[in-house]
Amino acid sequence: MNHRGSSPGAGVVWSRVEDGFHVGSRNGALLGYIIRERDRRFTAYDMRSRPVGKYADLTEAMHGLVALTLGIGYERR
């Protein structure tokens, strides 16, 4: 499943690799990935597999990871 259009950040493509594991890329380059943890929260990792944040839901994690990797301002709700 790929998420286009509603994805945070222009040109970012999200792929669901398996349940609870999503990978983000832009122009063919890896931005990072998101894993759903046992506590149902989402941990975002950058392209070097460094954790960059924990989020309550997947959409928030997507926005946060894109903001961090592309330098786009994003305020958590």
Side-chain angles (χ1 to χ4, degrees):
M1 165 172 53
N2 290 334
H3 302 277
R4 292 182 189 262
S6 63
S7 299
V12 174
V13 176
W14 288 98
S15 299
R16 181 180 164 266
V17 178
E18 62 182 49
D19 189 37
F21 182 61
H22 295 77
V23 175
S25 62
R26 183 176 186 210
N27 300 324
L30 175 68
L31 293 178
Y33 58 94
I34 299 167
I35 296 175
R36 186 180 64 227
E37 304 292 348
R38 289 182 188 198
D39 66 1
R40 310 299 286 173
R41 293 179 62 187
F42 294 84
T43 302
Y45 296 84
D46 68 11
M47 69 179 91
R48 293 184 177 92
S49 298
R50 294 179 298 210
V52 295
K54 285 198 174 275
Y55 301 89
D57 62 56
L58 179 59
T59 302
E60 185 179 11
M62 289 174 168
H63 283 281
L65 182 58
V66 169
L68 288 167
T69 57
L70 299 181
I72 299 168
Y74 172 68
E75 288 188 31
R76 290 173 108 171
R77 288 179 254 150

